[in-house]
Amino acid sequence: LAFTGACRANAPSVPVAEPAAVPSVLGPDDILEVQVYLEEDLSGVYRIDVDGTLTYPLVGEVRVAGMTASQVALALREALADGYLTNPQVAVFVREFNSRKITVIGQIKKPGRYEFRDGMTLVEAIALAGGTTDSAVLRVMQVTRRQPETTKYNIPFKDITLGRTADFLLHPGDLVFVEESAVK
């Protein structure tokens, strides 16, 4: 993922992501349905743990964060074929993409979690959350990104809305925080 610096006088340098598709990979809190043909005890609904692993019968913990549903099916099939079942037929379906949500909090009219869409920007997220309250700081907003490690970005929101800098592309799992003004 390429980053370019977007800055102006007296403003912090902010990485602005180049448009790129975010693949539909699995992450913590996603809920999967696993079906194993003719094996009811191995079929069921499972939640991916916060560390990105899936705890599965017979197999134990399987690291699935960053995989697609079909890759998880293949990994489970291979694990079950390794001493447990002969030629297991495994299908995996995503019930809920909880890791593909963003959270918008602070001085927002409708704070909460929202479905992430590929190409979603900070301005779109603020609009989706009903806009800011009258006491919101519009000059800079904070975006916390937890993957691969936690990084905090101070985004010049006012400059974005005035067309002075490019909008900031969000990623699944991002947390947007709108600060309250000290002046009321």
Side-chain angles (χ1 to χ4, degrees), residues 124-147:
E124 291 171 332
I126 297 299
L128 191 60
T132 60
T133 65
D134 292 338
S135 60
V137 172
L138 299 179
R139 188 179 61 77
V140 174
M141 292 184 184
Q142 188 176 83
V143 175
T144 303
R145 184 164 294 155
R146 292 186 181 89
Q147 295 182 4

Side-chain angles (χ1 to χ4, degrees), residues 91-108:
V92 174
F93 306 95
V94 179
R95 281 261 186 106
E96 292 181 30
F97 257 128
N98 292 318
S99 66
R100 287 194 47 93
K101 291 186 179 183
I102 58 159
T103 304
V104 185
I105 61 172
Q107 295 305 303
I108 291 293

